[in-house]
């Protein structure tokens, strides 16, 4: 099938490190492929790139080597305690392909990213740029976002995630945004992706609370139960929790979470999501939801649920799934937004369904046709 390069933005973070170590462990037969959607029987005939076809590289602003990060994650219980040793060689190989993230923005940053991607893709068939970095605040609207011609002379107005999307398309790479940041979600960047013949997908990986919402909200709608309010509280530690103490970053995350309810219920409902940073939780997170709804004759009832999970262990297999699926999209000449990848995201691009069952059916059909 050819080699697929996976360029990770935030390559030394917990999610990226878990993905690289996990791919190495599965290739070596040291771990089951639990959590990988593309390993399900429904995708056996989809002609996807194999885990052995993925070659990892990336950018990061921190300098902690991947081997040390894997040791830290093993000590925290995110990775199996015995795993880092057997996959050290693969972690070191990926480490050799990491580069410092460019500082600043505008054309100089784009040129640096394009140069790094061009060097990386030598000997590879296609490259997918996958954003697993920290969440950005919402991007302020700007007239240059409306068209590619206007954007060319105003690249400094792009936030980092959108700058990476621009550079990815210029370098002939697909792009996936696993964060709620702007990414390729601008008309000018959609225009560029189509002109460059490159696919893109996103945004904000659906791994925990919102995954449940995408199943439960359609249930209420299909049973004609009237949801009056849906409130949530998230407790999380780690780098993601620290980032979301910033009100701007938290507003990006909350906006993508609320999209699932609005799309599946057909309207906005009362209630907010509160995010609390609890450093002692480390890479674990807890989500608590309270749903107030009306049944027959207006009888009021409630649903409460709790989700506790390891953020990196939930996200990393989806990162690998998206790398394989987007690699196939690059190989097949898909250009523009891939709506069928909405199964993985809180706020997906393109026109597709928003309930999990329909999203899965659309993904399965796309992969196998």
């Amino acid at each position: 099938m050819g080699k697929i390069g996976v360029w990770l933005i935030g390559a030394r973070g917990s999610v990226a490190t878990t993905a690289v170590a996990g791919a190495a462990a599965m290739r070596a037969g040291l771990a089951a492929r639990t959590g990988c959607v593309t390993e399900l029987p429904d995708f056996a005939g989809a002609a996807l790139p194999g885990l052995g076809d993925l070659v990892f590289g990336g950018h990061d602003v921190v300098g902690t080597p991947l081997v040390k990060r894997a040791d830290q994650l093993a000590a925290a219980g995110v990775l199996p305690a015995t795993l880092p040793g057997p996959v050290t060689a693969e972690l070191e190989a990926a480490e050799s392909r990491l580069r410092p993230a460019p500082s600043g923005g505008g054309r100089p940053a784009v040129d640096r990213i394009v140069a790094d991607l061009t060097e990386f893709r030598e000997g590879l068939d296609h490259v997918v740029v996958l954003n697993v970095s920290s969440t950005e605040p919402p991007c302020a609207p700007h007239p240059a976002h409306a068209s590619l011609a206007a954007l060319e002379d105003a690249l400094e107005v792009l936030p980092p995630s959108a700058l990476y999307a621009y550079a990815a398309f210029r370098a002939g790479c697909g792009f996936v945004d696993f964060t709620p940041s702007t990414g390729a979600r601008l008309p000018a960047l959609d225009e560029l992706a189509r002109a460059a013949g490159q696919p893109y997908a996103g945004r904000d990986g659906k791994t925990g609370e919102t995954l449940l919402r995408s199943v439960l909200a359609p249930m209420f709608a299909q049973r004609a139960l009237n949801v009056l309010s849906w409130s949530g509280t998230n407790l999380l530690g780690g780098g993601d929790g620290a980032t979301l103490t910033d009100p701007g970053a938290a507003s990006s995350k909350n906006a993508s979470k609320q999209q699932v309810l609005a799309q599946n219920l057909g309207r906005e409902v009362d209630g907010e999501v509160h995010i609390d940073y609890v450093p002692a939780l480390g890479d674990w997170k807890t989500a608590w939801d309270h749903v107030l709804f009306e049944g027959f004759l207006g009888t009021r009832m409630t649903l409460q649920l709790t989700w506790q999970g390891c953020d990196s262990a939930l996200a990393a297999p989806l990162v690998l799934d998206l790398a394989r699926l987007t690699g196939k999209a690059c190989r097949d000449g898909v250009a523009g937004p891939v709506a069928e990848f909405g199964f993985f995201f809180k706020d997906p691009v393109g026109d597709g369904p928003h309930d999990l069952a329909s999203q899965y059916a659309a993904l399965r059909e796309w992969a196998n046709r």
Side-chain angles (χ1 to χ4, degrees):
M1 295 299 174
K3 294 293 185 181
I4 302 296
V6 184
W7 190 262
L8 298 164
I9 309 167
R12 295 189 179 101
S14 297
V15 172
T17 304
T18 303
V20 175
M26 289 187 290
R27 281 195 292 249
L30 300 174
R33 304 195 173 193
T34 307
C36 292
V37 175
T38 50
E39 287 297 313
L40 292 172
D42 281 346
F43 299 88
L48 298 175
L51 289 172
D53 298 325
L54 303 183
V55 179
F56 296 98
H59 278 135
D60 209 320
V61 297
V62 301
T64 307
L66 283 174
V67 171
K68 185 173 182 180
R69 286 292 294 123
D71 287 337
Q72 292 169 345
L73 291 171
V78 177
L79 297 178
T82 59
L83 180 60
V87 300
T88 293
E90 296 218 35
L91 291 171
E92 289 176 340
E95 179 67 33
S96 71
R97 295 186 287 266
L98 303 191
R99 299 292 180 266
S103 58
R107 183 68 63 180
V110 166
D111 291 343
R112 167 77 179 282
I113 296 167
V114 169
D116 287 343
L117 289 172
T118 301
E119 178 188 15
F120 174 64
R121 73 177 299 160
E122 291 183 11
L124 304 174
D125 289 85
H126 300 281
V127 171
V128 176
V129 177
L130 217 154
N131 184 17
V132 286
S133 63
S134 298
T135 299
E136 296 170 351
C139 176
H142 191 281
H145 295 163
S147 73
L148 182 57
L151 184 63
E152 293 292 359
D153 296 322
L155 293 179
E156 66 278 358
V157 306
L158 292 179
S161 64
L163 206 67
Y164 268 103
Y166 176 93
F169 300 144
R170 282 293 181 210
C173 305
F175 182 82
V176 177
D177 198 350
F178 204 75
T179 82
S181 303
T182 302
R185 204 72 169 264
L186 296 172
L189 295 178
D190 175 75
E191 183 182 346
L192 176 57
R194 295 173 189 272
Q198 295 301 321
Y200 70 91
R203 63 189 171 179
D204 200 4
K206 188 164 57 185
T207 60
E209 179 187 35
T210 314
L211 179 66
L212 289 173
R213 289 181 169 202
S214 67
V215 174
L216 294 174
M219 177 197 73
F220 284 106
Q222 292 161 6
R223 282 294 306 274
L225 299 170
N226 182 31
V227 175
L228 301 174
S229 69
W230 198 314
S231 302
T233 296
N234 287 200
L235 309 177
L236 65 162
D240 195 30
T243 297
L244 294 176
T245 59
D246 173 65
S251 68
S252 294
K253 175 67 75 173
N254 285 334
S256 67
K257 281 178 171 287
Q258 294 300 103
Q259 280 290 320
V260 173
L261 293 183
Q263 294 290 346
N264 281 298
L265 296 175
R267 58 184 173 80
E268 301 286 344
V269 296
D270 288 341
E272 297 180 349
V273 176
H274 299 277
I275 300 174
D276 294 328
Y277 176 43
V278 184
L281 286 175
D283 206 60
W284 270 255
K285 62 182 179 182
T286 297
W288 173 78
D289 274 29
H290 181 280
V291 186
L292 176 64
F293 64 96
E294 285 182 332
F296 190 52
L297 303 179
T299 304
R300 290 196 170 195
M301 293 168 271
T302 62
L303 166 69
Q304 297 184 53
L305 59 93
T306 303
W307 173 279
Q308 295 177 301
C310 176
D311 208 30
S312 297
L314 290 165
L318 304 186
V319 167
L320 299 177
D321 287 330
L322 285 161
R324 297 177 70 191
L325 289 159
T326 310
K328 172 182 168 64
C330 290
R331 189 185 66 210
D332 292 352
V334 176
V338 189
E340 291 87 352
F341 293 2
F343 174 79
F344 296 99
F345 300 108
K346 298 180 180 72
D347 184 17
V349 299
D351 297 321
H354 291 269
D355 67 283
L356 194 69
S358 298
Q359 288 176 329
Y360 181 79
L363 176 67
R364 181 183 59 209
E365 180 182 352
W366 181 91
N368 285 288
R369 69 185 176 214

